[in-house]
Amino acid sequence: MVVVTTIRHEVLTLPAADLGPDNPLPALRPLDETHRIDDRDKAGLPRDMARQIGYAPLTGLLPVRVRDGYDRDRVPRLLDALVLENDRLRATVLPGLGGRIVSLLHKPTGRELLYRNPVVQPANFALNGAWYSGGIEWNIGATGHTTLSCAPLHAARVPGPDGTDMLRLWELERLRDLPFQVDLWLPDGSDFLYVGVRVRNPHERPTPTYWWSNIAVPEDCRVLVPAREAYHFGYERRLRRVPVPVHDGVDRTYPLNSPYAADYFYEVPERRRRWITALDADGHGLVQTSTDALRGRKLFVWGHLPGGRRWQQWLTEPGTGGYCEIQAGLARTQLEHVELAPESELSWLEAYGPLDTDPEGEWTTVVDRAEARLAAVLPAADVDAAYAAWLPHADTEPAETLATGSGWGALEVLRGGFKLPGTPFEETTLGEEQQPWLTLLRTGVLPAPHPDRPPGESLVAPPWRDMLETAPADPHTEYHLGIAQWHAGDRAQAVRSWERALPLAPSSWPLLRCLAVADCEGGHTERAAERYADAFDDLCRARGDGGPEWTAATAALGREAIETLLAAGRTGTARAVWERLDPATRQRGRFRLLQAALLLAEGRPEEARAVFDAGFEVADLREGDEVIGRLWARLSDEPLPDRYDFRMRPS
């Protein structure tokens, strides 16, 4: 048999916004994640679900940095792509942007099976900020979109089943320190893309684990799944059990029937085949199925009211059709984490391809008909057989490197002495960010940072914290030790470390900022405001003529300082900080919003209203954040203008 599957490089030209620099301030504040429920909703849940919702939810982002330096100025940019193709399907992957499959084209019909976003527009939906919509993304780490949404992954060509080359993607997920891999391959003549996934825990401790494969499809469809019940989660942060397909008198399997953004986590019966499909009015669409380890299935809708429509416009080009998401995960809901035992792994196989069947009619009839059609084109036994055929190849070493991810995996492998066959984290990938920590690992001393740059990234896992505790106690080491202690929940000790370092530090602003955050979290707003003001003064002295890193640090610290100073009623000092920000920073949408709040605090509501009338776009507006609407309500009794309406829940 002649295998015709190919893997090749390609360069896409797409309108894309600049990602900009990461926020250089360590992410000490609690995680702003909307997918949380209160205890009253846990009472009626199945015991295993309630237990997994309560199991190790993520509370912070450390050691990952926030990605908030992007803008909304889209210009044509060149994006490296890897194309996996056989005679039936063509899959296009962006290894530099999370390994996302941005297109899955069915060649015989010419149909695009996914929602293919014509632009790359970052928005604040990932756990750490920057995320973009469209295609198939791999969400690992914790509830929400992965911190790797806009990050590069390692990629390579790997020999696979039946002599077919696979495209392997892999990285270290840093929130949980878990290496993972995604193997993509197309058997000759297959209408289905196979995806083998493995998550490994090389540590001597159990680790909370999370995975959801997220598939964007055109929203003018009907979503079919073998379920009669679902758990509905809305941005009111309530989880409730609802019937499928109709609840509150409306068939919610049509995404445009829902008014507000919502998740529907389907309760697929234990012995039922795992699958979900989205079909257009003519009965054409994409189906996703898997081995049983990938238990959950979900539909996300934006809703048809103005807030949801505004988000759809925000994430793509005007006039582009909207999308919904069908998803598959390890647990029933995305609020849950499962335990991965020490020195063990989880693996499964997914399949993606076209499905043609009539979506209209009575629910049970339609679902049974779709399942029968799926069984005809891809029997469940074939999926199990493909998984069994792939598994021996999961450890196969790459034959050709196609893209390079970060150096954090290489550093962790050196520290732990881990053996991870199939996913090599080579020392050659170590970069400038990892060098200080490599020195600490090899010498026991953390080198001082370059005086012309803000402090580098922190590492917070227990082995690194232990090394920091035994390293020479200079101010820089105490700074990073305090961050690791803060992450571990020992906040009093973190404050002591920062205060101990402060008198000897050549530059005090990083330590003062950490102490200011601690004061904010402790309810000491006045002291936090004072420390923020002092930190900003010191930063302005330290940065000299500046550069991109200093501009990012000044913007990040200035924003936090102004917000805290306004909360403390210190309007004059907040104005002084504002005036010292770079002019270009003050023109960014986030800071135009901050300017309106400052003007209102100064008793100048007409000028604050004028900021809204002139128009601004807050590029990093957080999913579910209602800050714009709250400020508008203080300025006007008029309805919130459409351009500022991002509401995702009822008033």
Side-chain angles (χ1 to χ4, degrees), residues 8-12 79-83 92-96 102 402:
R8 69 178 187 274
H9 279 282
E10 202 169 90
V11 177
L12 304 183
L79 302 175
D80 288 330
L82 296 170
V83 178
T92 304
V93 179
L94 298 183
V102 293
L402 301 174

Side-chain angles (χ1 to χ4, degrees), residues 40-366:
R40 58 183 170 168
D41 282 343
K42 296 179 184 177
L45 298 178
R47 289 184 180 179
D48 61 333
M49 182 188 294
R51 183 175 63 253
Q52 290 180 166
I53 288 175
Y55 172 51
L58 195 68
T59 57
L61 279 174
L62 290 168
V64 176
R65 284 189 163 180
V66 173
R67 308 202 74 171
D68 60 2
Y70 52 89
D71 56 32
R72 292 186 55 78
D73 297 326
R74 294 192 290 268
V75 298
R77 300 181 195 273
L78 302 181
L79 302 175
D80 288 330
L82 296 170
V83 178
L84 177 67
E85 185 170 11
N86 69 359
D87 54 334
R88 309 289 293 177
L89 286 175
R90 181 187 305 133
T92 304
V93 179
L94 298 183
L97 290 171
R100 186 170 308 199
I101 301 175
V102 293
S103 171
L104 186 61
L105 181 73
H106 186 235
K107 294 163 68 174
T109 61
R111 288 202 301 267
E112 174 60 62
L113 300 181
L114 305 173
Y115 169 75
R116 182 170 186 172
N117 197 336
V119 305
V120 177
Q121 176 56 64
N124 194 356
F125 280 75
L127 287 164
N128 63 331
W131 168 90
Y132 62 105
S133 64
I136 305 173
E137 60 178 308
W138 320 110
N139 288 314
I140 181 174
T143 299
H145 293 280
T146 176
T147 61
L148 296 165
S149 292
C150 290
L153 302 190
H154 300 280
R157 185 192 309 269
V158 181
D162 301 325
T164 304
D165 278 349
M166 299 188 296
L167 172 59
R168 175 165 297 164
L169 307 165
W170 74 97
E171 241 312 348
L172 175 75
E173 198 291 307
R174 298 180 65 205
L175 295 177
R176 307 295 197 183
D177 280 334
L178 296 180
F180 70 97
Q181 70 189 76
V182 178
D183 287 355
L184 312 173
W185 81 100
L186 285 168
D188 184 30
S190 174
D191 275 321
F192 283 84
L193 172 69
Y194 289 138
V195 181
V197 182
R198 178 167 64 168
V199 181
R200 291 191 272 199
N201 178 12
H203 308 290
E204 296 177 349
R205 64 181 190 280
T207 303
T209 307
Y210 173 94
W211 184 281
W212 282 80
S213 300
N214 185 352
I215 310 130
V217 292
E219 68 180 347
D220 191 7
C221 68
R222 191 181 196 190
V223 173
L224 306 181
V225 62
R228 296 306 305 257
E229 292 182 307
Y231 291 91
H232 170 274
F233 179 85
Y235 285 77
E236 309 92 331
R237 302 192 179 190
R238 299 298 308 274
L239 185 69
R240 58 194 177 102
R241 200 163 184 155
V242 298
V244 174
V246 176
H247 78 91
D248 292 339
V250 178
D251 189 332
R252 307 289 175 159
T253 62
Y254 295 90
L256 287 170
N257 281 353
S258 292
Y260 291 98
D263 299 324
Y264 293 90
F265 300 106
Y266 294 109
E267 184 72 281
V268 179
E270 195 66 37
R271 292 185 176 85
R272 200 75 185 257
R273 184 176 181 181
R274 263 57 179 161
W275 61 272
I276 188 168
T277 185
L279 302 170
D280 64 21
D282 295 324
H284 306 308
L286 173 129
V287 65
Q288 187 272 359
T289 186
S290 71
T291 49
D292 288 346
L294 208 61
R295 176 180 185 177
R297 292 299 185 274
K298 171 195 162 182
L299 165 65
F300 167 76
V301 299
W302 282 107
H304 61 71
L305 292 180
R309 307 329 296 165
R310 182 69 180 121
W311 272 118
Q312 294 262 31
Q313 297 162 8
W314 185 255
L315 294 168
T316 186
E317 292 280 17
T320 304
Y323 74 95
C324 63
E325 294 168 357
I326 56 175
Q327 303 187 23
L330 283 174
R332 282 189 180 102
T333 73
Q334 289 176 330
L335 287 71
E336 301 169 69
H337 298 86
V338 301
E339 183 179 284
L340 186 54
E343 299 177 340
S344 69
E345 63 183 47
L346 277 170
S347 63
W348 61 89
L349 184 119
E350 306 179 44
Y352 297 83
L355 191 71
D356 298 292
T357 182
D358 185 1
E360 302 299 328
E362 190 273 331
W363 180 249
T364 301
T365 300
V366 168

Side-chain angles (χ1 to χ4, degrees), residues 571 594-608 631 634-635:
T571 308
L594 198 55
Q595 180 188 27
L598 177 57
L599 289 166
L600 184 60
E602 292 172 330
R604 301 154 69 183
E606 296 83 3
E607 293 173 70
L631 184 56
R634 296 172 60 196
L635 292 170

